[in-house]
């Protein structure tokens, strides 16, 4: 019914006033009211909704989308890569108490908090990071806030984007998802969440075997200004996830993106959900 009303209203306004006149009225009204039309458009598209899990839509993914998709499954395997202090992992535990949940956090300062928070759960916590190949790398975080969720493999994320004066660098172990799954006899990942501050594509490259063999069902990943620093585009995700349908995550819904369009290369905070066809 709402769609019918919207369509009828749009047709009426365009017919009576004309499209250009309607646009002019919107622009003038927004200017008078002090409304930033770009921010309004972003809000309507599920972009820049980072205040909390409810607004970002992460709660919707766990408690609605995944709950409905996996309602008859008891043997779920869920990965939380870039778990930070464990808020997301803990929510997964509450919603899927019988699932096998793996939380990964390479920053030792944050890992200690993560381990404590998940002590009374069966979550398997791992002090490692993931990438396109196994190696030793450095993660950077604020000198005065070593457990920040902004910790990244890219120093410029801290110094250029967040204007940090001093950063702390920590060496850590990088593995690939393919190798980890092989070593731990994990044949299938039902849900893979990646929040690695610009390193998301590299994580997926390290899962090429699992992806090409249809062994990962649903993937949630961030795309934002950090991807400017890591020099990755949304097109790169479309390419590596060619067997998946991509949606942008809004507070209480998914916004389908369908085929790739360059206009969706928006380097502002947003979450994407990729579901295997």
């Amino acid at each position: 019914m709402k769609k019918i009303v919207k369509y009828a209203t749009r047709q009426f306004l365009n017919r009576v006033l004309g499209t250009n006149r309607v646009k002019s009225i919107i622009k003038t009204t927004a200017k008078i009211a002090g409304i930033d039309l770009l921010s309004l458009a972003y809000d309507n598209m599920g972009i820049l909704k980072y205040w909390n899990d409810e607004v970002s839509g992460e709660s919707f993914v766990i408690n609605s989308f995944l709950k409905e998709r996996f309602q008859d499954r008891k043997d779920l395997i869920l990965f939380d890569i870039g778990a930070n202090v464990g808020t997301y992992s803990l929510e997964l535990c509450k919603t899927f108490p019988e699932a096998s949940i793996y939380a990964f956090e390479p920053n030792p300062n944050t890992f200690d908090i993560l381990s404590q928070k998940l002590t009374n759960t069966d979550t398997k916590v791992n002090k490692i990071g993931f990438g396109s190949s196994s190696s030793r790398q450095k993660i950077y975080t604020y000198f005065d806030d070593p457990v920040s969720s902004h910790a990244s493999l890219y120093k410029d994320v801290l110094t250029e984007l967040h204007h940090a004066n001093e950063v702390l660098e920590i060496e850590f172990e990088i593995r690939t998802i393919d190798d980890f799954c092989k070593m731990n006899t994990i044949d299938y990942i039902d849900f893979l969440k990646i929040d690695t501050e610009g390193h998301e594509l590299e994580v997926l490259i390290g899962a090429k075997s699992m992806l090409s063999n249809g062994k990962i069902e649903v993937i949630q990943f961030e795309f934002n200004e950090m991807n400017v620093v890591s020099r990755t585009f949304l097109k790169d995700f479309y390419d590596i996830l060619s067997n998946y349908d991509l949606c942008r995550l809004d507070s209480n819904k998914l916004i389908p993106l369908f085929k790739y369009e360059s206009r969706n290369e928006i380097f502002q905070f947003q979450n994407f959900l990729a579901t295997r066809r």
Side-chain angles (χ1 to χ4, degrees), residues 42-78:
Y42 280 167
D43 185 74
N44 195 50
M45 296 163 63
I47 298 173
L48 288 177
K49 294 189 171 182
Y50 50 79
W51 301 288
N52 56 53
D53 294 342
E54 295 289 337
V55 174
S56 71
E58 291 188 332
S59 291
F60 166 77
V61 168
I62 296 174
N63 298 307
S64 295
F65 179 82
L66 294 180
K67 194 172 183 179
E68 181 178 341
R69 189 179 185 94
F70 299 142
Q71 58 183 331
D72 298 322
R73 302 263 295 278
K74 302 296 182 184
D75 57 344
L76 297 171
I77 293 181
L78 316 176

Side-chain angles (χ1 to χ4, degrees), residues 144-177:
D144 56 355
D145 184 11
V147 299
S148 170
S149 60
H150 290 159
S152 173
L153 275 75
Y154 306 94
K155 189 176 182 179
D156 285 353
V157 166
L158 279 299
T159 58
E160 297 294 325
L161 298 183
H162 299 299
H163 312 293
N165 294 319
E166 287 187 275
V167 296
L168 179 67
E169 58 179 59
I170 304 165
E171 190 173 285
F172 71 102
E173 179 184 3
I174 285 255
R175 294 189 197 173
T176 68
I177 289 178

Side-chain angles (χ1 to χ4, degrees), residues 80-99:
D80 182 3
I81 297 178
N84 196 248
V85 296
T87 303
Y88 200 105
S89 292
L90 200 58
E91 195 65 28
L92 287 173
C93 290
K94 292 175 182 176
T95 306
F96 303 103
E98 297 181 52

Side-chain angles (χ1 to χ4, degrees), residues 7-20:
Y7 177 77
T9 303
R10 182 168 64 247
Q11 291 294 97
F12 172 78
L13 289 173
N14 288 335
R15 185 167 59 249
V16 174
L17 298 176
T19 303
N20 290 334

Side-chain angles (χ1 to χ4, degrees), residues 46-59 61 79-84 87-88 105 148-152 154 157 161-162 191-204 218-238 240-241 246-250 257 264-274:
I47 298 173
L48 288 177
K49 294 189 171 182
Y50 50 79
W51 301 288
N52 56 53
D53 294 342
E54 295 289 337
V55 174
S56 71
E58 291 188 332
S59 291
V61 168
F79 274 29
D80 182 3
I81 297 178
N84 196 248
T87 303
Y88 200 105
E105 175 53 51
S148 170
S149 60
H150 290 159
S152 173
Y154 306 94
V157 166
L161 298 183
H162 299 299
F191 177 62
L192 169 63
K193 170 258 184 182
I194 313 171
D195 181 1
T196 51
E197 302 300 290
H199 201 62
E200 288 79 3
L201 181 66
E202 290 294 304
V203 173
L204 289 174
V218 181
I219 303 167
Q220 179 188 320
F221 64 92
E222 276 195 11
F223 187 84
N224 49 45
E225 58 185 355
M226 284 71 163
N227 294 92
V228 175
V229 176
S230 62
R231 302 294 193 271
T232 52
F233 293 89
L234 187 58
K235 178 66 163 60
D236 297 317
F237 290 94
Y238 265 86
I240 198 169
L241 299 173
L246 265 65
C247 294
R248 186 183 289 117
L249 181 59
D250 204 348
L257 295 188
N264 287 321
E265 296 283 2
I266 302 170
F267 295 96
Q268 298 293 334
F269 176 89
Q270 54 196 299
N271 274 308
F272 287 95
L273 205 68

